[in-house]
């Protein structure tokens, strides 16, 4: 039992990790089958986890209703919206000509687009507060930001015709250099964490204790 | 970078290790390479072709469109054998590094080639035909050079040696059938059994449309609009190839009929460098982890975002407000999420000590379950398993903006004193961080998503940039093993920078081979 | 020391409530939409080339349009499509419209409805045919090389295309005098490779700003006759046709928001510097 | 208008009741109702940038329920049905493409382990699932990181420095090459963890910080236009699709005094 709880998961992670790693270097047919087999299995596992997740969501909101927590009425909305949607969805499917599809069309999509559009407000206020030359670093941020921002709209041309060209230069040179450095570092860190997981050195994800 | 080496000799060990690995890798890949470099692979790269007099001019329009499947090309060959340049040094072989679905054919190019000469490859199931046109193209196209990545050779970077003086044709996994007008696939009516695409793609090498579809005898209407006929070399077993060259309608055929079969390959030599670097970096990390076990006293530079973690948790406790922790928008198949969960473990431990509440809304079902397990373990480690409440780590939805809206709702109503945004984010990052900033919370973000970093950097109090996200769990835990891994990463970085400097210098003076070491082919 | 002092305008500006910024942004977007200002727009040669081609074709020429985008790209491509279509209608050309992206059909249908209001005498089946959507992507393109009426046996409205007056003169890609495609992805590559190059039809692309870079090489290779890129291109076209509409106002909105943010940032920095100078001066005086 | 379904066109065979349901949901009345609901919800969701309020809370909770329900249904139809239920019960698949495949019981059991977390004392079983899932994906990711991230970036960073300068253009090329080379290297130095950032390393890492800041600023400024486009799109929906171009136009004329 102790073996199943402690050693077995670590061994399983090692075997799975090594198999999938080596698979990448084998061009033969079975290698591809292994890949799709694994990802399909992962999809099934996620499906079960989704049931657990939904129970968690419902439990969270039921709890609020039961405790009559402040604003529990809104939790009722979530629960009702979820239940009607999943029933309609599973019974009539989710295509556009069905009730679920109609709700998707006229509720889901506009709310999604609106949340996305709020970014215009946030980006403006973030720019206003962050683009201050408090330090030399902030000054670099400020100048690069202003040039690229204004170089992309027609009014930039009225300030200087070279502004657009310079904005492109910043995007293609210093900007690219910075992100290249980040990506190189991240890639190395990812190799390191992957190796730690495969070799069972990093096992936070398995929890601890019993 | 001498000071990096002070006190120990990791560099020397690294070099020893690297040499060993390279030798091993070469040895391992020898048999695999032997397979496809067999007798037939072009081993005389720069050999000039036969001095065919290829210079006959003529505004010849290529007539691919008229070639009927199953046509016998044999007729004209004798008549024109004298004038038409004959392909020479023709070899065939199994295409290396594939799953046994392709074979190839190469031959020497003529010294000067123009589009006047047309090469055509025919294919048959048996030596006696019937022959099907596989591909036809003007002689100034399809050089080995362009297809170098299919033939990585002994070392993947040898592709540079593939000459422009040889042609190559790759016969790939294809199937018999055709599209009807609505784009549906239908099978050819006649039992063809074995054919090959008249031209790869719907237009021929000249940019002309391939022959229009078949006309139905009864209705007089066009049945198909696009024909594709395909063959799967592996199923066919051995097949036979024939090569002709055509000038001004005169055709010459290479005298020999070539026999070839496709095989599955078991090692992708094109990815040898990926394997070597994976083993090299992996071994470096493991080596320094092992070292850290013996000598756990390792220096690690200050990461200000992480020094602020305790401050943030402390403040939340003082104010009696919860702490919000997000694991990012990605699933557990992504490494940043794992990094975020590792940090969550450390944060949970501290939160348990301080007796404040930790709220973790999740977007991915599996991340939810793992996060619950981690927080539970963190509380247990801190000796306060009773404080754990599974309802605080809950699922919201998988939809990006609905998730963002719900988290904003939580931020505006519960007014958490500290917000942690760790892991991978998309456009919603700014919605979260700005709303959080407006509630006055201390915000600590950490992401390796390059597109979202600017927004976190400008709106959060502290941001872990890229690699710092991965270093965070080591920094917070001070566990020697994970710290050792950081040291290993740094050593790998030194190696990389060294290679970049050397490579750039060599490139500047015209030597490309270091750069080619890093060419990812797959 | 100056606790009692009322915060100056400068300080209040620097600590401006974010909601003021939100309101200003909303206004900067909404007002130009209502009252297009028509900020001067510089017309680029690649847009002018599209305009000139349509303008200089004799009336009654055959023009093909392909609508290959979905609502996600609507803000950029819809105004462009409407503006080009309006130009085509105004010049009295014959128009055939195909759709390769399933969700583009309704956008095209809506555009036609709106233009019908502007041009009541513009008649279906005579002046234009809306062929609708057909599955198949590149296959559809190859197929329209042979015949519209066979590729699209019924049009969007369910009528049989075979007998339509317009189809008699304009029944395949090769008969088009000009083509304009609206692209949010790579279907434009198919049009060029399998369609216009094969049948030798001049073609222009109306593309989103994101995919524009991938179409410029075609322009250099003369495989495209012009490119209308993003909202800015649409605004340029509206300027050429002298009907300022959605794109012009949207471009005004863009410029206004950018100008607003720019001015706010510059002011904030000047004020912040002033504040620092002020503090330094006061500290010196206090000493 | 948002994307109405073209499904009516694409799908030929609908049962009569499906057809009438489809007709109902595409009827003008339902479209108008939909537009009004969409406009209302758009305003609800926008209201949160001002402050938290009951309308936003309503919208937020509705959105949460609907999106969770919708995506779960979608997941069921797109993933669970073809990948789990059909292989177990091939007779369910009318197309007859699926064959019996009992192997899917293994991920089924691993999935059940996760649900067993609800039973006290059985929670540890889910660790086996985590190990399987995380181990496998890590193995997949490791070579992909090298192949898709590390090597290509490495490859791109190593480049010729065109030191022979004879013209203005060549000078620009030289500067570009130097900026890329020095920028990328200095950022890498900034990420050294096991070395104190003092002296030479400190100096180089300062250059790295400046490179990063310029990159962040540029990237920030570059995104503004795209985000404003989204807001314009929403505003156009509210002002033209909902209120109607006619009315808005008239208001505009009114203010113009015409």
């Amino acid at each position: 039992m102790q073996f199943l709880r402690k050693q077995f998961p670590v061994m399983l992670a090692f075997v799975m990790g090594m198999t999938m790693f080596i698979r990448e270097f084998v061009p033969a047919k079975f290698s591809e089958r292994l890949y799709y087999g694994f990802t399909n299995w992962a999809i099934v596992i996620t499906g079960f986890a989704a049931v657990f997740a939904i129970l968690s969501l419902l439990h969270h909101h039921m709890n609020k209703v039961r405790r009559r927590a402040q604003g529990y009425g809104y939790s009722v909305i979530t629960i009702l919206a979820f239940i009607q949607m999943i029933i309609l969805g599973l019974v009539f499917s989710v295509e556009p000509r069905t009730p679920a599809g109609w709700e998707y069309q006229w509720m889901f999509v506009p709310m999604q687009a609106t949340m996305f559009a709020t970014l215009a407000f946030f980006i403006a206020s973030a720019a206003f507060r962050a683009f201050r030359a408090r330090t030399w670093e902030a000054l670099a941020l400020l100048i690069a930001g202003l040039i690229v921002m204004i170089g992309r709209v027609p009014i930039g041309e009225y300030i200087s015709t070279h502004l657009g060209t310079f904005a492109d230069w910043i995007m293609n040179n210093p900007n690219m250099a910075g992100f290249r450095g980040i990506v190189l570092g991240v890639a190395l860190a990812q190799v390191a964490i992957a190796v730690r997981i495969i070799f069972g050195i990093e096992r936070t994800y398995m929890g601890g204790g019993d | 970078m001498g000071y990096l080496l002070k006190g120990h000799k990791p560099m020397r060990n690294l070099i020893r290790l690297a040499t060993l690995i390279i030798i091993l890798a070469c040895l391992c890949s020898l048999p695999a390479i032997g397979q496809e470099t067999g007798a037939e692979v072009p081993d005389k790269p720069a050999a000039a072709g036969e001095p065919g007099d290829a210079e006959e001019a003529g505004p010849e329009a290529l007539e691919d469109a008229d070639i009927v499947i199953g046509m016998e090309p044999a007729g004209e060959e004798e008549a024109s054998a004298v004038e038409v340049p004959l392909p020479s040094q023709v070899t065939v072989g199994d295409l290396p590094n594939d799953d046994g679905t392709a074979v190839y054919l190469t031959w020497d190019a003529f010294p000067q080639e123009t589009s006047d000469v047309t090469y055509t490859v025919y294919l048959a199931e048996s030596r006696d035909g019937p022959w099907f046109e596989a591909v036809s193209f003007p002689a100034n196209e399809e050089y080995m050079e362009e297809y170098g990545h299919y033939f990585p050779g002994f070392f993947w970077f040898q592709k540079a040696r593939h000459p422009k003086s040889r042609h190559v044709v790759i016969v790939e996994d294809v199937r018999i059938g055709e599209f009807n007008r609505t784009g549906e696939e239908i099978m050819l009516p006649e039992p063809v059994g074995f054919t090959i695409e008249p031209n790869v793609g719907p237009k021929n090498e000249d940019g002309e449309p391939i022959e229009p579809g078949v006309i139905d005898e009864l209705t007089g209407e066009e049945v198909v609009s696009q024909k594709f006929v395909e063959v799967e070399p592996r199923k066919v077993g051995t097949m036979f190839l024939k090569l002709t060259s055509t000038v001004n309608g005169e055709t010459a055929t290479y005298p020999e009929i070539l026999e070839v079969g496709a095989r599955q390959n078991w090692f992708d030599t094109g990815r040898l460098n990926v394997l070597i670097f994976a083993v090299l970096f992996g071994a470096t990390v493991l080596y320094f982890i092992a070292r850290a076990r013996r000598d756990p006293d390792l220096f690690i530079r200050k990461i200000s975002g992480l020094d602020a973690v305790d401050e943030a948790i402390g403040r939340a406790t003082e104010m009696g407000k919860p702490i919000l922790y997000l694991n990012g928008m990605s699933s557990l198949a992504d490494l940043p999420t794992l990094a975020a969960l590792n940090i969550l473990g450390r944060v949970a431990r501290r939160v348990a000590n301080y007796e404040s509440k930790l709220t973790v809304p999740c977007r991915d079902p599996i991340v939810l379950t793992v996060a619950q397990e981690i927080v539970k373990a963190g509380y247990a480690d801190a000796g306060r398993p009773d404080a754990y409440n599974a309802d605080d780590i809950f699922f919201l939805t998988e939809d990006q903006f609905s998730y963002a809206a719900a988290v904003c709702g939580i931020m505006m109503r519960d007014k958490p004193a500290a917000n942690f945004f760790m892991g991978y984010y998309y456009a919603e990052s700014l919605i979260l961080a700005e709303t959080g900033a407006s509630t006055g919370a201390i915000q600590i973000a950490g992401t390796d998503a390059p597109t979202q970093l600017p927004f976190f950097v400008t709106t959060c109090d502290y941001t872990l940039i890229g690699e710092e996200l991965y270093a965070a769990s080591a920094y917070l835990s001070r566990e020697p093993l994970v710290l050792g891994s950081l040291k290993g990463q740094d050593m790998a970085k030194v190696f990389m920078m060294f290679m970049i400097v050397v490579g750039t210098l060599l490139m500047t003076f015209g030597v490309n081979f270091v750069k080619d070491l890093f060419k990812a082919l797959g | 020391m100056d606790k009692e002092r009322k915060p100056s305008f400068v300080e209040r500006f620097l600590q401006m409530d974010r909601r003021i910024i939100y309101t200003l942004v909303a206004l900067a977007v909404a007002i130009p939409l209502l009252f297009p200002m028509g900020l001067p727009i510089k017309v680029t040669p690649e847009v002018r080339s599209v305009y000139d081609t349509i303008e200089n074709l004799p009336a009654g020429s055959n023009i093909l349009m392909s609508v290959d985008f979905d609502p996600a790209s609507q803000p950029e491509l819809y105004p462009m499509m409407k503006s080009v279509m309006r130009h085509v209608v105004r010049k009295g050309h014959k128009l055939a419209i195909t759709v390769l992206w399933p969700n583009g059909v309704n956008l095209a249908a809506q555009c036609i409805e709106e233009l019908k209001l502007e041009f009541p005498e513009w008649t279906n089946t005579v002046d234009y045919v809306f062929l609708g959507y057909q599955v198949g992507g590149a296959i559809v393109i190859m197929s329209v090389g042979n015949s519209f009426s066979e590729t699209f046996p019924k049009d969007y409205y369910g009528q049989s295309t075979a007998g339509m007056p317009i189809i008699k003169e304009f029944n395949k890609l090769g008969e088009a005098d000009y083509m304009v495609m609206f692209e949010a992805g790579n279907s434009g590559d198919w049009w060029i490779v399998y369609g216009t190059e094969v049948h030798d039809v001049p073609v222009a692309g109306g593309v989103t700003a994101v995919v524009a870079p991938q179409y410029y090489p075609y322009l250099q290779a003369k495989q495209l006759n012009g490119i209308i890129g993003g909202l800015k291109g649409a605004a340029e076209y509206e300027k050429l046709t002298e009907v300022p509409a959605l794109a012009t106002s949207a471009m005004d909105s863009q410029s206004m928001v950018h100008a607003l943010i720019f001015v706010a940032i510059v002011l904030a920095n000047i004020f912040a510097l002033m504040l620092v100078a002020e503090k330094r001066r006061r500290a010196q005086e206090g000493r | 208008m948002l994307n109405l379904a073209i499904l009516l066109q694409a799908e030929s065979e609908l049962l009569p009741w499906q057809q009438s349901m489809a007709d109902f949901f595409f009827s003008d009345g339902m479209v108008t109702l939909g537009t009004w609901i969409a406009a209302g919800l758009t305003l609800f969701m926008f209201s949160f940038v001002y402050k938290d309020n009951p309308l936003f809370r309503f919208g937020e909770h509705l959105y949460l329920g609907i999106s969770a329900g919708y995506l779960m249904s979608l997941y069921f139809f797109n993933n669970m049905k073809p990948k789990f239920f059909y292989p177990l019960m091939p007779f369910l698949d009318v197309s007859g493409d699926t064959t019996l495949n009992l192997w899917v019981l293994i991920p089924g059991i691993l999935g059940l382990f996760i649900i067993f977390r609800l039973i006290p004392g059985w929670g540890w079983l889910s660790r086996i699932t985590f190990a399987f899932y995380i181990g496998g994906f890590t193995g997949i990711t490791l070579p992909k990181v090298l192949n898709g991230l590390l090597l290509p970036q490495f490859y791109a960073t190593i480049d010729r420095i065109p030191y022979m300068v004879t013209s203005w253009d060549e000078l620009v090329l030289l500067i570009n090459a130097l900026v890329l080379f020095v920028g990328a290297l200095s950022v890498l130095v900034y990420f050294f963890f096991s070395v104190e950032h003092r002296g030479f390393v400190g100096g180089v890492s300062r250059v790295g910080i400046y490179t990063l800041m310029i990159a962040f600023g540029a990237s920030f400024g570059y995104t503004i236009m795209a985000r404003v486009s989204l807001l314009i799109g929403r505003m156009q929906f509210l002002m033209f699709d909902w209120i109607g171009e006619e009315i808005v136009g008239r208001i505009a004329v009114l203010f113009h005094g015409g």
Side-chain angles (χ1 to χ4, degrees), chain A residues 1 4-5 8-9 12-13 16-17 20-21 24 35 38 40-52 54-55 57 61 70-71 74-75 77-78 81-82 85-86 89-90 92-99 102-123 126-127 131 136-137 140-141 144-145 148-149 152-153 169-171 173-185 187 190-191 194 197-198 205-206 208 210, chain D residues 2-3 5 7 11 14 17 21-22 25-26 30 33-35 37-38 41-42 45-46 48-49 54 57-59 61-70 72-77 79-80 83-84 103 106-108 110-112 114-115 117-118 124 127-140 142-145 149-150 153-154 156-157 176 179-180 183-184 187-188 191 206 209-222 224-225 227 230-231 234:
Chain A
M1 211 54 165
L4 271 183
R5 281 178 187 219
F8 179 68
L12 184 64
M16 287 306 297
M20 300 315 279
F21 173 71
E24 192 75 16
Y35 178 81
F38 175 76
N40 280 346
W41 282 19
I43 284 170
V44 173
I45 293 175
T46 311
F48 280 88
V51 175
F52 181 85
I54 286 307
L55 292 176
L57 174 73
H61 285 282
Q70 203 218 335
Y74 296 107
S75 292
I77 293 171
T78 300
F82 174 78
M85 190 61 161
I86 202 143
L90 292 182
F92 298 107
S93 97
V94 289
E95 282 156 38
R97 59 186 160 73
T98 61
W102 188 85
E103 285 183 29
Y104 173 77
Q105 178 72 53
W106 298 112
M107 296 176 158
F108 187 110
V109 170
M111 285 197 276
Q112 188 179 38
T114 310
M115 280 312 288
F116 203 176
T118 55
L119 276 171
F121 297 122
F122 291 137
I123 208 167
F131 283 17
W136 291 107
E137 287 98 341
L141 183 101
V148 174
M149 174 185 116
R152 285 182 35 91
V153 283
W169 183 84
I170 293 181
M171 286 308 290
N173 294 287
N175 177 62
M176 175 125 71
F179 285 116
R180 211 172 251 173
I182 294 179
V183 168
L184 279 174
Q190 291 193 336
V191 171
I197 286 170
I198 292 175
Y205 65 89
M206 287 182 204
D210 62 316
Chain D
L2 295 158
N3 58 327
L7 229 103
E11 201 151 312
L14 285 182
W17 68 269
M21 184 170 75
F25 282 109
F26 290 127
M30 286 308 276
L33 179 67
T35 313
I37 290 177
L41 292 175
T42 300
M45 297 311 274
F46 266 143
F48 112 92
V49 302
R57 282 185 88 167
F58 173 82
H61 282 85
L62 181 73
Y63 187 15
L64 180 61
I66 285 185
S67 69
Y70 183 83
M72 286 299 156
S73 307
L74 207 62
Y75 199 85
F76 177 79
F77 286 112
N79 293 320
M80 287 310 269
K83 287 180 177 144
F84 184 67
W103 286 106
I106 296 178
L110 289 172
L112 276 181
I114 287 183
I115 297 183
R117 293 180 57 82
L118 296 172
W124 62 271
R127 271 186 218 169
I128 296 173
T129 313
F130 298 159
F132 177 84
Y133 187 98
I134 294 173
F137 272 117
T138 310
I140 289 177
L142 179 51
K144 281 203 185 354
V145 168
L149 221 57
L150 192 66
Q153 292 292 336
F154 216 152
T157 312
N176 291 355
V179 166
L180 278 170
V187 172
L188 268 182
F191 284 124
R206 296 281 307 161
I209 293 175
Y210 279 105
T211 312
L212 282 178
M213 285 299 148
I214 292 172
F216 292 155
S219 199
F220 193 114
Y222 190 80
I224 294 179
M225 190 164 185
R227 301 295 184 246
L230 297 167
L231 182 61
R234 275 288 85 186

Side-chain angles (χ1 to χ4, degrees), chain B residues 282-349:
Chain B
T284 314
V285 168
L286 289 177
Y287 170 78
F288 280 97
I289 288 173
R291 266 184 57 94
R293 223 186 274 269
R294 294 198 305 270
D295 170 23
D297 234 3
L298 284 172
F299 171 80
I300 181 164
R301 82 156 156 92
K302 198 168 125 65
I303 302 176
S304 51
L306 293 172
D307 291 338
V309 168
D310 279 322
E311 178 202 337
I313 297 174
R315 203 170 82 137
T317 316
E318 270 169 36
M319 295 165 72
K321 294 230 173 113
I323 291 156
L324 184 73
Y325 192 101
L326 307 187
N327 286 306
M329 307 298 282
S330 182
S331 77
L332 260 183
D334 272 346
L335 294 169
T337 314
L338 276 162
L341 284 167
N342 284 341
I343 304 172
L344 174 64
R346 306 296 161 199
V347 170
R349 222 170 281 192

Side-chain angles (χ1 to χ4, degrees), chain B residues 16 28 53 64 70 78 82 90-91 108 159 166 170 182 192 336 341 347 378 397 426 444 453 463 469 471 510 516:
Chain B
R16 276 186 208 144
C28 291
D53 12 338
D64 307 317
E78 276 99 52
V82 196
V90 186
T91 54
D108 277 353
K159 67 110 207 165
R166 276 182 85 79
I170 292 163
T182 51
V192 202
L341 284 167
V347 170
T397 169
Y426 301 95
I444 302 176
L453 271 169
T463 307
L469 170 70
D516 284 338

Side-chain angles (χ1 to χ4, degrees), chain A residues 24 29 125 129 190 196, chain B residues 264 271 391 434 470 485:
Chain A
E24 192 75 16
K29 266 255 150 54
S125 94
R129 285 179 304 109
Q190 291 193 336
R196 295 205 306 262
Chain B
Q264 290 201 64
R271 289 197 179 162
D391 205 31
E434 266 292 294
Y470 295 88
S485 147

